[in-house]
Amino acid sequence: MLIARFPRLSLAHLPTPLERLDRLTATLEGPTIWMKRDDCTGLAGGGNKTRKLEFLIADALVADATVVLTPGAIQSNHARQTAAACARVGLDCHLVLEDRTGHDDDHLANGNVLLDQLFGATLEVCGAEDDPATVLEDAAARHAALGARPYVIPGGGSNPIGALGYVNAAIELVGQANDIGLDIDHIVHATGSAGTQAGLVAGLTAIRSGIPVLGVSVRANTTAQEVAVLDLALATADHIGATGCLTADDVVVDDDQVGPGYGLATDAMVDAMRLVARTEGIVLDPVYSGKAMAGLIDRIRRGAYDRAEHVVFLHTGGAQSVSAHRDVLGEGRATANRDRS
Ligand SMILES: *Cc1c(COP(=O)(O)O)cnc(C)c1O
């Protein structure tokens, strides 16, 4: 398995730090918690999509594309990082953003939307009645008719090319752990469009690390998400020449933190975000990493891990959406009243 044979751009600040979270660990009185800081990949504020985009944008350049199109939720972190990556290499960027529920102004104009606009992307918003795939195809055809050469990236950058970013992350993480003599017992992270978990599982099994991964689903139920991750992990293993390195047993997802649905707040998510912010000074996000951390905390409280174990939480980013979620995270205006303390 040689990742270096695939076209790749350097977009991310790598390796991302691997940090031990002592105050969070002490508060939860469970296993030692480490955090792999993929919120610090650098581009556009960071996040997991930047690792995928190193391979996807390189492929777009090989294909001689002039415009990149990709879909996402209105507050998509993938859309933001794609817009920034395109700006970085001088490609046009067209985002098809789905607005499915009645959102407030912060959700529709702040956070990632504000940044998409700053990076100069074209935004096309589609509603619940539209099929995003069709809207995206139509947009690509429109660009082609005007003489542009479109390159379409699937939602979340999740195909075998994008997943290479997380094959690479798996190798990077195991190398870091080896350097400091850390024996990782578990990896926990948020799973959505499946590319992160698929790449990690393919990479970790290809190098026979033996480290189990738990994906905390933010949308699909356990069965559907495990099928999506397994399909992509198998295709990714083929892509890197490691066919046969993994089986269905290597793909484990839990849907117990989805709550009312994708992007919709849960009390456990808000509690997890506040706890990590107040013990470690680290910002999680309400849609992905906050729910994944809620899943980890719940497991620790239920005694799922031994105190002697070491758990790595992969922070996949998303803090740039926080200002779009003032309705659930905000505590009102700062006050000038000095009597309040
Ligand atoms: C996209 C995203 C995820 C999920 O990663 P997938 O590869 O889509 O499963 C997790 N966290 C954040 C912050 C994301 O933006």
Side-chain angles (χ1 to χ4, degrees):
M1 177 189 57
L2 188 60
I3 296 299
R5 70 167 178 260
F6 299 104
R8 178 174 174 191
L9 281 173
S10 173
L11 296 173
H13 297 176
L14 301 179
T16 57
L18 175 63
E19 296 173 344
R20 201 176 65 203
L21 305 188
D22 288 334
R23 275 177 37 81
L24 183 65
T25 297
T27 304
L28 294 171
E29 300 180 325
T32 303
I33 303 171
W34 297 75
M35 189 178 274
K36 175 67 171 158
R37 299 293 305 271
D38 274 13
D39 58 320
C40 299
T41 51
L43 183 77
N48 61 341
K49 304 311 179 308
T50 297
R51 287 189 187 268
K52 303 178 182 182
L53 288 162
E54 289 198 333
F55 294 93
L56 291 162
I57 299 292
D59 191 54
L61 294 177
V62 169
D64 205 22
T66 58
V67 58
V68 167
L69 300 98
T70 202
I74 193 98
Q75 279 296 329
S76 167
N77 301 299
H78 163 67
R80 166 191 28 101
Q81 289 162 85
T82 303
C86 287
R88 173 89 163 255
V89 298
L91 291 171
D92 289 334
C93 181
H94 185 96
L95 304 173
V96 172
L97 304 177
E98 293 169 60
D99 177 26
R100 294 203 173 271
T101 37
H103 289 303
D104 65 9
D105 266 2
D106 277 328
H107 203 91
L108 297 172
N110 216 334
N112 283 310
V113 173
L114 184 69
L115 294 169
D116 295 341
Q117 294 165 339
L118 188 66
F119 295 128
T122 314
L123 276 56
E124 181 176 357
V125 174
C126 65
E129 66 284 2
D130 301 313
D131 170 26
T134 313
V135 175
L136 198 68
E137 273 168 38
D138 291 352
R142 271 196 327 271
H143 278 91
L146 294 171
R149 290 184 298 278
Y151 183 90
V152 175
I153 295 179
S158 287
N159 61 16
I161 298 173
L164 288 173
Y166 273 88
V167 172
N168 200 48
I171 296 166
E172 178 184 303
L173 174 60
V174 169
Q176 282 174 312
N178 284 340
D179 286 347
I180 58 172
L182 168 66
D183 189 1
I184 301 172
D185 294 295
H186 305 274
I187 297 172
V188 176
H189 70 93
T191 180
S193 68
T196 300
Q197 190 171 3
L200 271 183
V201 168
L204 289 169
T205 55
I207 62 174
R208 300 175 188 274
S209 72
I211 305 172
V213 177
L214 172 69
V216 180
S217 179
V218 299
R219 186 193 316 250
N221 68 42
T222 296
T223 310
Q225 190 67 10
E226 284 183 345
V227 168
V229 173
L230 179 61
D231 283 353
L232 185 51
L234 291 170
T236 304
D238 289 346
H239 193 53
I240 61 174
T243 302
C245 68
L246 66 99
T247 70
D249 291 345
D250 296 306
V251 175
V252 181
V253 170
D254 205 322
D255 63 7
D256 58 359
Q257 299 296 324
V258 175
Y262 175 79
L264 300 174
T266 61
D267 290 344
M269 174 278 289
V270 175
D271 290 348
M273 281 191 69
R274 293 207 170 118
L275 182 65
V276 170
R278 291 167 194 190
T279 54
E280 298 290 347
I282 291 172
V283 186
L284 299 172
D285 81 287
V287 181
Y288 297 95
S289 54
K291 286 186 175 176
M293 182 57 81
L296 174 58
I297 292 170
D298 179 57
R299 265 174 195 73
I300 291 173
R301 293 204 168 125
R302 288 193 279 112
Y305 305 109
D306 194 280
R307 294 249 344 218
E309 288 190 304
H310 293 266
V311 178
V312 173
F313 180 84
L314 172 66
H315 188 339
T316 44
Q320 291 67 28
S321 79
V322 162
S323 63
H325 294 274
R326 190 167 53 134
D327 55 342
V328 287
L329 297 171
E331 298 181 45
R333 289 191 182 184
T335 172
N337 185 342
R338 282 177 205 176
D339 295 338
R340 292 213 193 170
S341 62

